[in-house]
Amino acid sequence: MPVLPLVPSASNDVIPAPKITPNVLGNVNMTMLFKRFGLMSRTCLVAAVLVPAAALALPDDAALTQLLVGTWHGHRHDTEYRLDGSWIMDPPDEGDNTRGKWRIEHGRLIETWRFTDETEDSSSVEEIIELTDKIFKSRIILQEGPGKPEGQVLPSEIFTVTRVTTKK
């Protein structure tokens, strides 16, 4: 055992320095503490990554479908999404596409319509960013058919519409 130096006191009496032994902390197993701390750190890191992602996750398609049913007000039109899978727009858009079909698959809104004097349908796929009982945010990620605008850049900007509520 090493010899410990003596530390003089204020009264010039020699008091031995305290002995530092491996057991100073009692019966604490330091290796076990470090292992638990490491496990706790990893658990916190995983939780910090997964919890925000889970909070941002959208409900399933059936829940989204129920949320979308109703009338939504945009800057140019009101669009009514009906439970039977049809939609109707008021006032009509250029090209007279006032109605069509809709469905939600894999968290995306898929709409189809046919312009007057066209022989095939047009369609769009919108990424649902947020859908609550009051707000619907989406952006077009795919559009096909005769209704596709020239020079369209996808994904589009984010569109935000609000639910139209009727007064009781």
Side-chain angles (χ1 to χ4, degrees), residues 41-57:
S41 297
R42 286 186 295 243
T43 302
C44 289
L45 179 62
V46 169
V49 170
L50 292 181
V51 169
L56 293 174

Side-chain angles (χ1 to χ4, degrees), residues 29 34 39 67 78 84 89 98 109-110 122 127 147 164:
N29 182 340
F34 284 117
L39 179 61
L67 276 170
D78 284 354
D84 67 358
M89 184 176 11
T98 60
L109 172 61
I110 302 167
S122 294
E127 173 188 19
V164 175

Side-chain angles (χ1 to χ4, degrees), residues 19-75:
K19 291 185 178 182
I20 306 295
T21 64
N23 213 13
V24 159
L25 298 175
N27 292 329
V28 175
N29 182 340
M30 294 304 288
T31 304
M32 198 58 161
L33 275 179
F34 284 117
K35 285 181 182 177
R36 286 187 182 177
F37 178 72
L39 179 61
M40 186 171 46
S41 297
R42 286 186 295 243
T43 302
C44 289
L45 179 62
V46 169
V49 170
L50 292 181
V51 169
L56 293 174
L58 291 170
D60 65 18
D61 291 348
L64 290 171
T65 297
Q66 288 297 319
L67 276 170
L68 189 61
V69 170
T71 303
W72 297 88
H73 177 71
H75 70 281

Side-chain angles (χ1 to χ4, degrees), residues 1-5 19-20:
M1 179 171 225
V3 177
L4 297 173
K19 291 185 178 182
I20 306 295

Side-chain angles (χ1 to χ4, degrees), residues 68-74 76-93 96-102 111-113 164:
L68 189 61
V69 170
T71 303
W72 297 88
H73 177 71
R76 294 183 347 190
H77 308 281
D78 284 354
T79 303
E80 180 185 353
Y81 292 95
R82 297 177 175 171
L83 194 54
D84 67 358
S86 64
W87 60 264
I88 187 164
M89 184 176 11
D90 185 39
D93 201 2
D96 207 22
N97 64 329
T98 60
R99 59 186 66 242
K101 297 285 184 189
W102 71 276
E111 294 179 315
T112 58
W113 65 92
V164 175

